[in-house]
Amino acid sequence: MGLNIHNVSVSYGAGISACHAVRAASLYLKPGELGVLIGPSGCGKSSLLRAIAGLQAIDSGDITSHGRTISRAGLLVPPSQRGVGMVFQDYALFPHMNVQRNVRFGIAHLAAAEQARRTRQMLELVGLADAGAAMPHELSGGQQQRVALARALVRQPEVLLLDEPFGSLDASLRGRLAAELRTILQGTRTTALMVTHDQSEAFALADTVGVTQQGNITQWSSALALYQQPATRAVAEFVGRASFLPVLVKTVQGKPMLCHALGCWPAPAAAKIGQNFDLLVRPEAVVIDATAPVQAVVLQRTLHEGCWRLMLQMADNTQLLAQAPLGLDCAVGARLGIRLLLQQVVAFEARRNGG
């Protein structure tokens, strides 16, 4: 049950000119779960949504929604028969219809009393119970997006797709609407998949987050796992902010360890003595400590969300991102003692000389 996407590939065009937008993508959402896809522009996120919605045929694999196959090679169930709703970034409201008529547009086949009941229920759910007579141009961007959400949910879809739903809104409104969206979807127990380029939005909303790169879903897991235990270096570099500390595998007390002047940590199982790795270091893992024997110089300092964001350079020219409280004396050029406090040890084979 739920939404199951198995080895789905999507391409546009044919032959040597074909553009492969999605490559063997797989993900699973349990009923009522909210998943979010993040990734750079052009990585296949929206193409995958279009395939789920039935707006794009797939080359291989299959898509199953709540136990029913809705797409595979040679099978394309029409969008109207999929039980899938979709909310777009540009709202796509009918400008000549008032809010009430926009919401009930997709349920015109129902009896008038049922149309009225569902429309009233949805407008109450999205906080627009008194706006039924208003025209779209009379509403703010946030209100228009609520109407678009109500119109999608009024059909009681098994799966709701959201393509950058807050992309045209300002930052403060995005955060508030994102929180409201999660509450609404939890209330309706709707399985939902959203695409966004905003990582903080994804982490705040999702039960599961997927990183999409060059048409592949390279990791599909919780936000915490993505941040602390990225599956690939590319995921580590894309999610959040990261530094990579060059370390060498040495034998310490009979065990292979990743070693640096800042400390030693357990080496990966397949590591060999003398092998070079790059240790993933998140800014919060760099602790400013005046008593620490290892020092670094502050190269850059910027104010960010109530703290200093620092770029530090060590004696071996390794640069580390760090964060510090505003009360700390950390002007550019200052020397600070540092140590590492790693919750998770994640290392990747070293990339040297641009490799």
Side-chain angles (χ1 to χ4, degrees), residues 203 219 221-232 235-237 239-242 244 279-282 284-285 341-348:
F203 289 175
Q219 190 166 349
S221 57
S222 70
L224 185 62
L226 277 178
Y227 189 75
Q228 291 188 339
Q229 297 175 293
T232 67
V235 171
E237 292 173 335
V239 175
R241 293 171 62 83
F244 294 92
L279 183 68
L280 172 65
V281 180
R282 297 295 188 185
E284 63 275 10
L341 186 60
L342 298 178
Q343 291 184 334
Q344 303 283 339
V345 176
V346 180
F348 303 97

Side-chain angles (χ1 to χ4, degrees), residues 249 256-258 265-273 275 277 345 347:
V249 181
M257 303 288 283
L258 302 171
W265 302 270
K272 298 178 181 179
I273 303 303
Q275 188 175 3
F277 280 83
V345 176

Side-chain angles (χ1 to χ4, degrees), residues 303-327:
L303 183 62
H304 181 75
E305 295 182 351
C307 68
W308 292 121
R309 179 173 285 172
L310 308 176
M311 177 63 77
L312 306 177
Q313 182 166 294
M314 302 174 63
D316 62 0
N317 292 324
T318 298
Q319 295 184 0
L320 292 177
L321 289 163
Q323 57 190 36
L326 296 182

Side-chain angles (χ1 to χ4, degrees), residues 35-55:
V36 179
L37 293 175
I38 58 176
S41 297
C43 67
K45 304 185 300 295
S46 294
S47 292
L48 187 56
L49 285 199
R50 288 176 54 83
I52 300 168
L55 303 176

Side-chain angles (χ1 to χ4, degrees), residues 3-8 25-29 48 52 62-64 193 217:
L3 178 65
N4 189 21
I5 296 169
H6 178 66
N7 284 337
V8 166
S26 295
L27 64 83
Y28 174 67
L29 282 172
L48 187 56
I52 300 168
D62 55 79
I63 301 174
T64 303
L193 182 63
I217 298 179

